[in-house]
Amino acid sequence: MSEIDVRDQIVESATKFFSKFGFYKTTMDEIARHIHKAKGVLYYYFKSKEELFNEVLRRELGTVKSELSKILAGEADSIVIMRAYTLARFKLLHKAVNYHETLKADFFEKYYFVKDVRDDFSDFERNQLSTLLQRGMDEGFFEITNVDSSVNILMMIMNGVEIPFFLQNKYPEYENTLDELASIIMVGLHSKK
Amino acid sequence: MSEIDVRDQIVESATKFFSKFGFYKTTMDEIARHIHKAKGVLYYYFKSKEELFNEVLRRELGTVKSELSKILAGEADSIVIMRAYTLARFKLLHKAVNYHETLKADFFEKYYFVKDVRDDFSDFERNQLSTLLQRGMDEGFFEITNVDSSVNILMMIMNGVEIPFFLQNKYPEYENTLDELASIIMVGLHSKK
DNA sequence: TAATTGACCAATACACCAATTGGGTCAAAT
DNA sequence: ATTTGACCCAATTGGTGTATTGGTCAATTA
């Protein structure tokens, strides 16, 4: 009975509620009641509601990162990988509903506590893209003067469209043009030969 | 005395206040007092506060549009124009502080009344970019399969970064990479020959 | 000892009312 | 044709008491 990891139960329950109602409309008490425990036990495993939310986020983005890592580890040309990465990135993030809430952090001071998880994902992406672009240059597919700067621009574009996509629900509308976006970026990074 | 166009005075006064305090923190009474008139006179020239704000916006974006039109009417290659357009677009919009407020319309229902002006600017931009891309194809600089679709993507990128740029004040940080963004887009649209 | 409970606290959110603000109207005046 | 200022009323604001909820902890269980 107590074999089941309670910490996991808590996170699963929290995920359910946070996904459905968001951070502020979810109470610690209902998370606890849902697994037939007293509220106090949550504080045995997590030191605060914010930390619990962060754990939920960490897992959500962890899935995204591992999926993306699979793509990045592929054998194909860096161009092919780059395209696949772009499409998958948005498709995966589209489903990461708790991540969406963190996008509000830039508007509402309330959400300061998600900074760490967001930064972590940003770092991940920056590293991966740097590696990929560098590899693309080594393979002769890309010809860019400054990798860091190109990565910055890619990140600017990708982060930029997240708010319209996920908070204003324009992702479905744009989903089928993402392939073309990827094309433009691909060619844009491509050597003029 | 009554030679001075009162309507203009009103709009100028309104521009001052709206630019400084935004739509909701500005009162019709202070706009009127500033030009030593009674509040009622505002309603002789404008049927509502919202309409007055729209007029302010119209002028603000009118300036932007006419500046951009100058660039678009240039003699240079479509590539050169495209780059100049991109840089100028953001530089001009950066100064259009009332336009910034309209960006909130996508988050807060309160701002529904700015739809018309925003749509107008969107239409302008869509038309101009279509013409430019088409011209670029005719001149052999661009090689795109579907102009509309490419325009969509350009607009998606440009609109996407507006919120980070103007509402989260990241424009200064990115300003000097805009040139490179333009490059990527340019090459991205460029024929592979 | 590790895990859990439930009563308890303090801070925040919330519901409610009163007072004020501010958008908008209009008959009268200029 | 334009302007005024008193007026209306819906919405906002500020203040207050109550309820909710994040968080603590001594006692209890297994």
Side-chain angles (χ1 to χ4, degrees):
Chain A
M1 196 67 91
S2 75
E3 303 302 308
I4 304 158
D5 193 292
V6 175
R7 208 188 120 97
D8 272 356
Q9 282 185 282
I10 293 172
V11 177
E12 276 171 40
S13 173
T15 302
K16 273 204 181 73
F17 284 103
F18 285 142
S19 301
K20 206 171 213 162
F21 304 114
F23 181 77
Y24 288 103
K25 298 275 188 186
T26 296
T27 72
M28 293 298 264
D29 194 56
E30 59 188 344
I31 293 171
R33 274 202 319 268
H34 188 249
I35 55 170
H36 309 291
K37 289 271 157 70
K39 181 177 61 167
V41 79
L42 301 194
Y43 291 90
Y44 181 78
Y45 294 96
F46 297 92
K47 86 173 200 299
S48 69
K49 186 186 184 185
E50 302 183 355
E51 209 201 51
L52 176 54
F53 186 73
N54 270 298
E55 174 63 20
V56 170
L57 263 181
R58 216 176 339 266
R59 293 196 186 192
E60 186 174 90
L61 287 179
T63 310
V64 174
K65 288 199 290 185
S66 77
E67 292 291 318
L68 291 179
S69 294
K70 281 184 209 162
I71 292 174
L72 291 160
E75 297 291 321
D77 287 350
S78 41
I79 292 191
V80 173
I81 290 180
M82 187 69 177
R83 165 174 276 111
Y85 178 90
T86 305
L87 300 185
R89 180 204 196 265
F90 286 107
K91 182 168 244 155
L92 290 166
L93 284 186
H94 178 57
K95 288 184 293 186
V97 296
N98 290 298
Y99 174 73
H100 298 174
E101 192 163 6
T102 72
L103 295 177
K104 297 177 188 162
D106 298 308
F107 294 91
F108 309 107
E109 323 69 40
K110 305 179 170 193
Y111 289 91
Y112 63 91
F113 60 90
V114 298
K115 187 176 186 309
D116 287 353
V117 185
R118 297 189 73 207
D119 286 351
D120 175 75
F121 187 73
S122 256
D123 292 346
F124 166 83
E125 185 152 52
R126 170 163 275 111
N127 288 332
Q128 300 300 317
L129 288 179
S130 291
T131 308
L132 185 56
L133 288 199
Q134 189 58 58
R135 182 180 147 194
M137 282 183 65
D138 297 343
E139 290 174 355
F141 288 115
F142 299 147
E143 183 154 307
I144 13 183
T145 47
N146 187 338
V147 170
D148 283 346
S149 172
S150 295
V151 170
N152 261 340
I153 290 163
L154 289 185
M155 302 264 301
M156 178 179 88
I157 295 175
M158 287 184 171
N159 290 324
V161 298
E162 280 179 21
I163 287 171
F165 273 19
F166 304 135
L167 293 188
Q168 299 167 18
N169 301 313
K170 289 183 184 163
Y171 174 72
E173 170 187 340
Y174 279 112
E175 189 175 13
N176 40 6
T177 72
L178 277 180
D179 196 65
E180 230 155 324
L181 168 65
S183 291
I184 292 179
I185 293 177
M186 288 310 84
V187 179
L189 298 174
H190 205 287
S191 155
K192 270 174 287 191
K193 203 42 158 305
Chain B
M1 195 66 93
S2 73
E3 302 303 307
I4 305 157
D5 194 293
V6 175
R7 208 187 121 98
D8 272 357
Q9 282 185 281
I10 294 172
V11 177
E12 277 170 39
S13 173
T15 301
K16 274 206 181 71
F17 285 103
F18 285 141
S19 301
K20 206 171 214 161
F21 305 114
F23 181 77
Y24 288 103
K25 297 277 189 185
T26 296
T27 71
M28 292 298 265
D29 196 54
E30 59 187 344
I31 293 171
R33 275 203 316 269
H34 188 249
I35 55 170
H36 308 293
K37 289 273 157 70
K39 181 176 62 166
V41 79
L42 301 194
Y43 290 90
Y44 181 77
Y45 293 96
F46 297 92
K47 86 173 201 299
S48 70
K49 186 186 185 185
E50 302 183 354
E51 209 200 51
L52 176 54
F53 185 72
N54 269 299
E55 175 64 20
V56 171
L57 264 181
R58 213 171 346 259
R59 293 195 186 194
E60 186 174 90
L61 287 179
T63 309
V64 174
K65 287 200 290 185
S66 76
E67 292 292 318
L68 291 179
S69 294
K70 281 184 209 163
I71 292 174
L72 290 161
E75 297 291 320
D77 287 350
S78 41
I79 292 191
V80 174
I81 291 179
M82 186 68 177
R83 166 174 274 110
Y85 178 90
T86 304
L87 301 185
R89 181 204 195 265
F90 287 106
K91 183 168 243 154
L92 290 166
L93 283 185
H94 178 56
K95 288 185 293 187
V97 296
N98 289 299
Y99 174 72
H100 298 173
E101 192 163 8
T102 72
L103 295 177
K104 298 176 187 163
D106 298 309
F107 294 91
F108 308 107
E109 322 69 39
K110 303 179 171 195
Y111 288 91
Y112 64 90
F113 60 89
V114 298
K115 187 177 185 309
D116 286 354
V117 185
R118 297 188 74 208
D119 286 351
D120 175 75
F121 187 73
S122 256
D123 292 347
F124 166 83
E125 184 152 53
R126 171 163 274 112
N127 287 332
Q128 301 299 319
L129 289 179
S130 291
T131 308
L132 185 57
L133 288 199
Q134 189 58 57
R135 181 179 146 193
M137 282 184 65
D138 297 343
E139 290 174 355
F141 288 115
F142 299 147
E143 184 154 305
I144 14 182
T145 48
N146 186 338
V147 171
D148 283 347
S149 172
S150 294
V151 170
N152 260 342
I153 290 163
L154 290 186
M155 303 263 302
M156 178 179 88
I157 295 175
M158 288 185 171
N159 291 323
V161 298
E162 281 180 21
I163 288 171
F165 274 18
F166 304 135
L167 293 188
Q168 299 167 17
N169 301 314
K170 290 184 184 163
Y171 174 72
E173 169 186 341
Y174 278 113
E175 189 175 13
N176 40 5
T177 71
L178 277 180
D179 197 66
E180 229 155 325
L181 168 65
S183 291
I184 291 179
I185 292 177
M186 288 310 83
V187 178
L189 298 173
H190 205 288
S191 154
K192 270 174 288 191
K193 204 38 158 305

